[in-house]
Amino acid sequence: MLNALNVAQSGLYASKIAVENVSNNIANENTPGYKKRVIDQTELEHLDSRFYGRGVQASGAYRITSIYMSQNLMRETTRESYYTQRNEMLGDIEAIFKETDTSGLSKDLTRYLQSIENLRSSPNSEIYKSDLITHGSLLVNSMKTLYEDIEKAEALTKTSMQDNVNNVNAILKEIGKINEQLGQHKIASNDLLDRRDQLELELSKYANISSEDINGTYTLKIGNVVAIGNNTVIRDITVEDSFTPQQDRYLNSDGKTSSILNGVTFDNDDTITYKLNNTSEVSIQYGESIDIDGDGTFETVDETNYLRALVSKINNDPELSKTVVAYNGTYTKNPDGSKTTNDLQDNYLLIEAKDPGEAGNFNGRIVVTEQTDINDPTTVTNKSKVYRDEHQSKDGENSVQIYAFDAPISISSGVLKAQSENLTTDSYNNKFTVYKDKLDALARTLSDITDKFVKTGDTTYIEGEISTDGYTGDQNNIISVGLFSGGNVKTLTFNEKNVHNLDQTKLDYLATLQWKNNISFEGKGQDIAGVNASSFSEFYQELRINVSSDKESNNFLLKTQKAVTQSVQSSYDNLTKVDKDEEMLNLIKFQSAYTANAKIVTVIDEMLQTILGLKR
């Protein structure tokens, strides 16, 4: 009977603990990161071979969780954060390109073209000349403003990325402190484990992570790199920038020989001209004397030293030397930072930007002119354009990478992935660079096509400086306009002084550009059929459409990913979150158990009282 009393007493205690646990679950229903607790009730161990039990014990409360579902939720949260961040950045770009009925680049372009048409109808009108100057300048300013706004968006993204990295480091430190506290307890605190899980979920918004706790040893990885090891060893992550300069190599596919004189015999009065950004150029002529090595000794330019002569001309030109440095082949870096080349012979032309990274990008090309008399413009026998080898050259690149203890972290998703790839120029998903390249192509083509032309018929022309580079007729037929100059948006300039030199012939040519719909924007002249040839207006409208299309595509992906994340979150919550209805049923169940055990105690007490009464 006394044993039965002990059984009932243990039931009372276990039921009381269970009721208190239910109350705690209900109280923490809305606590962030809280996972419902379940009381571990087990039968008390038998002390002998008697067949009846000794009661129940409430040995502790454990959390309801799932490592598999938790990792899955973090993975989907990372993906959603990636698309959310991209959506924010693309939204900023879309706002930059937004136009009204009276403002925007397309409106400025239309007004500029109309001002050309107006001046064409009255070439001597000072009012129309002033109008053209106004709208030409506004067109340049509008393009520069768009470009600068994209650069501002990049700068804000970079600042935000640094802030996010600081947040990640703060979360890592907090997880380390929790692990330190957990190490001070023999039994892990459920509250601390909940907090650590919540921090992991928050961390997963920034980058793809994985964690494991094996035999009390906790490890957390960001991407492929351990960020927390052995519970409390924390590696801070940093943002590292690297910039590489643009390098143009005029080289054959063999990787050894120069591509400048392929099929050309360099002799007589032939010239080789290097042109930079449609603004500056230098030339060397066969037979001229040049101090190639800068030692005061002059050498006669011929087919054996023309490369070194061209390198010398480029590096000593006051304009070109501000932007680029020329080398006779691949250079070797010395400990003091200087660069040396093998100048015992001509190798190949290497042009490198002075400013590293995207900011130093430039446009260059070479024109080889074969003629018998440099003083006679009708004696040109051949002109060939030479461009850099695209496979062996490279544009200036900006790279933004996440590091931990000098080890690069390869992340596949999350906020930091979206930001880093849009700040790294060679990233396939970099939209900032794509839009800026399109604007540069527009500026470069506008500069080229309004610079020079040759009239070949009543309404037919060879358009642009790059195209006239290949013109072998009487060079006096090449008419210089020079209305715009520059090789990209940053160097684009409207030369208003040349407006006063526009005659009827030049205006007739410029007027054809407003309805010309086969303009090539590939940067290799209008005599090369462009794959995506269009008009100025169509090219810019296509750019705006691409901006909106990118935003809509990302919206769709974000909406889809949100649905996936919500589904996983719902399944995870059903398992781990407090269900008030379920808890109320448990409360009724444990209250009934408490009442039943209390009834047993009461009955046994009455039986004992009866027995004691019999003895008297």
Side-chain angles (χ1 to χ4, degrees), residues 60-91:
Y62 62 89
R63 304 182 309 150
I64 298 297
T65 188
S66 166
I67 295 176
Y68 168 76
M69 294 187 68
S70 176
Q71 295 286 344
N72 195 26
L73 176 59
M74 287 193 294
R75 182 170 59 252
E76 300 305 331
T77 299
T78 306
R79 291 172 179 169
E80 180 183 335
S81 299
Y82 171 81
Y83 291 119
T84 299
Q85 181 62 40
R86 279 179 60 86
N87 203 55
E88 180 180 328
M89 292 187 293
L90 291 172

Side-chain angles (χ1 to χ4, degrees), residues 236-480:
D236 283 348
I237 68 171
T238 57
V239 180
E240 302 292 338
D241 298 335
S242 62
F243 304 95
T244 55
Q246 177 177 338
Q247 289 185 336
D248 288 358
R249 288 179 167 84
Y250 294 85
L251 192 61
N252 288 317
S253 57
D254 60 9
K256 300 178 181 179
T257 57
S258 170
S259 60
I260 294 177
L261 293 181
N262 282 350
V264 175
T265 301
F266 188 54
D267 56 13
N268 299 322
D269 292 314
D270 296 350
T271 59
I272 300 175
T273 303
Y274 177 76
K275 299 188 176 185
L276 178 69
N277 287 336
N278 283 353
T279 55
S280 305
E281 62 181 56
V282 294
S283 298
I284 57 168
Q285 181 187 352
Y286 185 90
E288 72 172 304
S289 295
I290 297 179
D291 181 7
I292 295 177
D293 299 323
D295 58 0
T297 302
F298 285 80
E299 301 178 43
T300 301
V301 176
D302 57 24
E303 69 280 357
T304 65
N305 62 7
Y306 73 91
L307 272 175
R308 285 168 286 169
L310 186 57
V311 167
S312 177
K313 276 285 186 81
I314 293 172
N315 291 337
N316 288 287
D317 183 83
E319 292 301 321
L320 271 68
S321 60
K322 295 177 183 177
T323 305
V324 298
V325 181
Y327 296 95
N328 176 34
T330 302
Y331 56 75
T332 301
K333 287 186 178 180
N334 300 317
D336 62 356
S338 61
K339 301 172 182 178
T340 57
T341 55
N342 177 17
D343 291 333
L344 297 178
Q345 63 181 22
D346 277 4
N347 300 308
Y348 69 88
L349 181 63
L350 168 63
I351 307 291
E352 184 175 82
K354 272 201 165 182
D355 295 329
E358 187 183 29
N361 280 349
F362 59 89
N363 292 284
R365 67 186 186 279
I366 291 174
V367 179
V368 181
T369 304
E370 297 178 81
Q371 57 192 101
T372 56
D373 185 353
I374 194 171
N375 297 314
D376 184 358
T378 65
T379 62
V380 173
T381 58
N382 184 52
K383 293 174 77 175
S384 57
K385 291 177 288 186
V386 184
Y387 297 97
R388 70 177 192 172
D389 183 272
E390 294 295 340
H391 299 290
Q392 301 179 82
S393 301
K394 61 180 181 180
D395 291 329
E397 295 178 356
N398 301 349
S399 178
V400 178
Q401 181 69 50
I402 304 296
Y403 277 77
F405 275 21
D406 297 328
I409 301 177
S410 178
I411 54 178
S412 60
S413 196
V415 171
L416 292 178
K417 175 63 175 179
Q419 292 178 325
S420 64
E421 70 182 11
N422 276 277
L423 294 172
T424 300
T425 52
D426 64 344
S427 170
Y428 176 79
N429 290 319
N430 187 333
K431 294 301 181 182
F432 289 146
T433 297
V434 169
Y435 304 143
K436 289 195 296 183
D437 286 348
K438 288 287 187 180
L439 287 174
D440 280 337
L442 180 62
R444 180 177 59 245
T445 303
L446 179 64
S447 169
D448 172 62
I449 206 169
T450 60
D451 189 51
K452 295 177 182 177
F453 71 94
V454 175
K455 188 172 183 179
T456 58
D458 291 339
T459 58
T460 57
Y461 303 89
I462 298 175
E463 299 104 345
E465 179 185 1
I466 298 178
S467 295
T468 56
D469 281 347
Y471 179 67
T472 57
D474 187 343
Q475 301 300 289
N476 288 328
N477 292 334
I478 300 177
I479 300 174
S480 179

